[in-house]
Amino acid sequence: MRRREFIAGLGSAAVWPLAAWGQQAAMPVIGFLSAQSAEVDYKDVTVPFLQGLKETGYVEGQNVAVEHRYAENQFDRLPALAADLVRRRVSVIVANGSQAALAAKAATTTIPIVFAVGGDPVAIGLVASLNRPGANVTGIATLQVELGPKQLQLLRQLIPNAAAFGVLADPVFPSTLSIIGDLQTAARTLGLQLIVVNAKTDSDLETAFASFSQQHVGAALVGPSTFYVQRREQLAALAARHALPAIYSYREFALAGGLMSYGSGTGYLFHQVSIYTGRILKGDKPADLPVQQATKVELVINLKTAKALGLSIPETLLATADQVIECSDQAGTDRRRRSRHAGAGPAVLRGQRAAVAHRT
């Protein structure tokens, strides 16, 4: 199904009566709840989720139905959207992001919930523990509190003489306070000053980058946020306009023109979410499924953006990258180089940088 047709069909899917599903023999229904929009979610979230679901034996429209609910970045809509899915008696709720997961949990204690969140699900009250989540909630988490100090170290490696770095923080994101505290500790160790600017609207983003420029920060760290993911092209453009090197938490930012990312891709996260969703549809209980921590963490560097910023990326940093996006000399396409690695961190490539390279 093409992207435009998929998104156009969501409006009608959202109002189909439950009776229509009942006409198909015992077809389970997945309720998909997101703080973002269908337009943003489609490529990064919906496609990998449906692909992973297919691998578990469930194909949308054949033996499973999916009801989508999008808050369009209006977080106050999430409780009503979650309540609507509960009224429709869906078989399982998939929640994209912390706010959506918390809304789903508040709406039901019986319908299974599978989440993907960028933060500590225990700290924000989603589950009792990672190993034994309890009740009706489980999922996958990227522990951004642990990734933040590494992102700061990568920026320091890139801009070694900077005295201060900026941090763009979303005050609505549930784990922001913990992340900032951890970053402040890491900054003191590195002898850095952190200038933290909160931003939760489009106008806030403009103001934040202007503030970073006025205070002459050497680079910026963009914290995790559902809102920021939705505005990744805008953030990359703002960083370019202010000639500010920046690092982000998800690889989609680097693919959208951001300089550098260190973290997990949302596609990977929702492929994992689909595996748990399939298991629950087959009878597994959320309480028996430990919360997974994202083990695929990648460093992605966009050399095209580095060139536009007038930056020379150190060879030591390039050697640790899992993917390097380069502008080819004539074809005008990107070349991507991936390391073969296992585990949570980026592998160090031995020998020549071009040992594993292919053209896309």
Side-chain angles (χ1 to χ4, degrees), residues 133-192:
N136 62 320
V137 184
T138 190
I140 184 168
T142 57
L143 298 186
Q144 299 290 351
V145 172
E146 297 178 1
L147 295 179
K150 177 61 178 178
Q151 293 168 348
L152 206 59
Q153 292 171 18
L154 291 168
L155 276 184
R156 184 59 179 271
Q157 190 174 349
L158 179 64
I159 315 288
N161 297 322
F165 286 156
V167 176
L168 188 69
D170 183 354
V172 178
F173 190 72
S175 298
T176 289
L177 288 178
S178 298
I179 291 168
I180 295 302
D182 213 46
L183 285 172
Q184 293 284 14
T185 300
R188 285 192 292 270
T189 301
L190 295 171
L192 284 168

Side-chain angles (χ1 to χ4, degrees), residues 11-76:
S12 59
V15 296
W16 287 349
L18 187 61
W21 304 123
Q23 294 172 6
Q24 303 182 42
M27 179 182 286
V29 180
I30 298 170
F32 195 97
L33 182 65
S34 175
Q36 300 183 150
S37 66
E39 184 79 18
V40 169
D41 268 3
Y42 178 76
K43 180 179 179 181
D44 300 332
V45 174
T46 307
V47 170
F49 175 75
L50 293 178
Q51 179 59 42
L53 202 62
K54 186 177 181 179
E55 293 171 12
T56 69
Y58 291 96
V59 179
E60 184 183 18
Q62 294 184 15
N63 60 352
V64 70
V66 184
E67 290 241 356
H68 302 264
R69 297 293 182 274
Y70 296 98
E72 306 287 343
N73 207 45
Q74 299 176 46
F75 300 123
D76 58 350

Side-chain angles (χ1 to χ4, degrees), residues 291-330:
V291 174
Q292 296 185 38
Q293 297 182 51
T295 57
K296 185 179 180 182
V297 182
E298 299 176 320
L299 172 61
V300 182
I301 298 173
N302 191 319
L303 281 187
K304 182 178 179 180
T305 301
K307 182 179 180 180
L309 291 171
L311 282 176
S312 178
I313 307 295
E315 287 291 333
T316 53
L317 194 56
L318 286 172
T320 62
D322 296 281
Q323 180 174 343
V324 177
I325 303 170
E326 298 179 88
C327 181
S328 66
D329 295 335
Q330 296 179 342

Side-chain angles (χ1 to χ4, degrees), residues 27 49 61 68 75 84 102 194 217 231 244 311 352 359:
M27 179 182 286
F49 175 75
H68 302 264
F75 300 123
D84 183 50
L102 289 168
L194 285 190
V217 300
R231 297 294 190 270
L244 187 64
L311 282 176
Q352 297 298 318
R359 188 180 296 271

Side-chain angles (χ1 to χ4, degrees), residues 5 14 29-30 56 58 104 111 152 181 221 235 264-265 279 305 319 331 341 348:
E5 294 170 345
V29 180
I30 298 170
T56 69
Y58 291 96
I111 297 175
L152 206 59
L221 187 155
L235 285 165
S264 297
R279 290 181 61 178
T305 301
H341 69 282
V348 177

